[in-house]
Structure formats: structure tokens, C-alpha cells
Amino acid sequence: MTVTLVQNAPRLNRTNLESCETLAAAYAGRNDVIVFPELALNGYLLQDKVYEDAWTLPELEPLAKASLACDIVVGAALKENGRTYNTACYFSGGELRHVHRKLHLPNYGMFEEARYFFKGNRIEAFDTAFGRSVMLVCEDLWRAQTMADVAALKPEFVYVIANSPARGFEEEGLAIEGQWDALLKSLAQLANAYVVFVNRVGFEDGLGFWGGSRVITPRGGIERRLPLFDEAVETVTPDHRLHDVEKWLAKID
């Protein structure tokens, strides 16, 4: 299995759909799953624009068709039954396989998500050709209960997509990166799963996003880390032989 991490800077409009479709097609012969950030189809600071820019499922048919060549994980503002959700969508085999609706909507400081989105109500696992999977969106991971819920589902892969702004510039590095790294490694170890984290870059209305996307092994090691602040697209091949050994070690720990 190969996974392509797309650490890009989505525009604050609907042209992102075409960009994602084009990139998915370009990597179709070179990877099995391509992963885009949170709200990759919309941009982050939608505010009142969310009501006109949110997508309906029929409008995402181009991504469904593109998933005939490779699976696609993408973040989108999605309209369902008169409500708008911040979602992670998994397309595979020409269809939408699973939707995760963001459970925890930050509404403090620079964040106002609860003003514009409805929240989801559960985390579910779903089967893919590459293993049992779970998806989370950004703030979802910043809850101890999320860790427990994901671990109980026994996934092989957890996809975490994010729009995390840069904050906490310190001499030893970016504080927010260290906090995310600790959470991602804890999740990987507790769930005994590979964790694929994709965070956007770029700027919106003074907010700068730090990137630093990465793949974490089930034992908490970093298999690949993308650069801070710069756009990057990288393909990673998780070492399944290592995963088999780690699952065996977990049983005897």
C-alpha cells in the first residue's frame, strides 16, 4: 500500500474541487490512497460563505469517479438535510465509502466553527481494500475519549486531517507541532494503528498554517514527516512487515 500526503494551501472558493481531482488523477498510477487536508474543497475561514460554498454529495461525483483509480480522503464542508458539516470523505471504487462528521467544533479564540457547522455524533470504522480504517478531523483528536473510542474500533489506519494554525513560536521549535506530535504518537500506540496526519499550509486572513504532515507507525515512530509551512506532496509506503511484528509485540506486552 502507498499513501500520498497532499500538504497544500486550499483557496477560499470552489475551485479546489478541480485541483483535487487533477492531483488525484496525476498520482493514480503511483499510489493507492491520496489524502488531502481538512476543508481542502473549501478553505478554512468560510464564515457566512459556508452556506453558498458547501457541497452536496451529487456535486462531488468527479471525486467518486477519480476514486476508480485510487482511494481519496478529502475534507469538505458538506450539506446534508439542511445542515452543514465539516467532514472527512473517503471515496473508493467509484463511490463515497464513508463520511466522518467532525465531532468537536472549536469555538474559542481564533476559532468560530460552532457558529457555522453542525457537529457529528460518532466515530465509526469502515473497511477498505487496504484495511480497517477510521477518520478524524483536527479538534476531534484533542479529547481523551476520542483516543479510547478509536482504540476500541481496532483500526489498521487512522486518517487525521487538519487545518491547524501556527502558534507558540519558541526557541526549541513550534509548540503546536510538539503538542500534535504527542497526540498522534499516543493515538498510534493506543490503537496499534498507522496514523496518517495531513495538515494544510498557507495563509487566510492573517492565520498561517504550519503543515508538518506525517505518518506515524503503530509503535509511535515517525515514518515520514513533511516540511513546515511549505507545500509538499509525498508518497509513503508504510512497512506492513513492521506492522505485523508490532501487532505481535502488542499481544505479548
Side-chain angles (χ1 to χ4, degrees), residues 3-150:
V3 183
T4 297
L5 283 60
V6 180
Q7 181 174 288
N8 65 351
R11 300 179 181 89
L12 201 57
N13 58 51
R14 281 179 147 232
T15 62
N16 297 300
L17 176 61
E18 184 178 354
S19 300
C20 291
E21 182 187 1
T22 299
L23 196 55
Y27 277 82
R30 291 182 276 167
N31 93 123
D32 297 308
V33 184
I34 188 165
V35 186
F36 295 90
E38 176 185 10
L39 292 172
L41 297 185
N42 297 88
Y44 185 66
L45 292 171
L46 285 164
Q47 299 181 321
D48 292 334
K49 203 168 180 282
V50 71
Y51 304 110
E52 58 186 84
D53 276 11
W55 301 89
T56 62
L57 288 178
E59 291 178 303
L60 300 185
E61 184 60 24
L63 289 180
K65 290 181 179 178
S67 75
L68 288 167
C70 69
D71 290 6
I72 301 170
V73 177
V74 65
L78 196 62
K79 286 186 284 194
E80 299 179 288
N81 301 318
R83 296 185 171 193
T84 304
Y85 297 93
N86 183 342
T87 68
C89 300
Y90 193 104
F91 293 91
S92 179
E95 64 181 15
L96 178 63
R97 182 67 56 86
H98 186 73
V99 176
H100 170 73
R101 299 160 189 85
K102 190 173 183 177
L103 297 172
H104 300 288
L105 302 172
N107 212 50
Y108 52 85
M110 66 186 78
F111 304 109
E112 296 183 308
E113 288 187 38
R115 180 177 177 182
Y116 302 106
F117 294 105
F118 285 85
K119 65 179 182 178
N121 57 17
R122 61 186 177 273
I123 298 171
E124 296 178 308
F126 58 100
D127 292 324
T128 76
F130 312 106
R132 187 172 173 83
S133 301
V134 167
M135 297 190 294
L136 302 173
V137 180
C138 206
E139 187 83 4
D140 288 342
L141 185 53
W142 290 68
R143 301 291 187 281
Q145 188 59 49
T146 297
M147 298 267 192
D149 291 345
V150 172

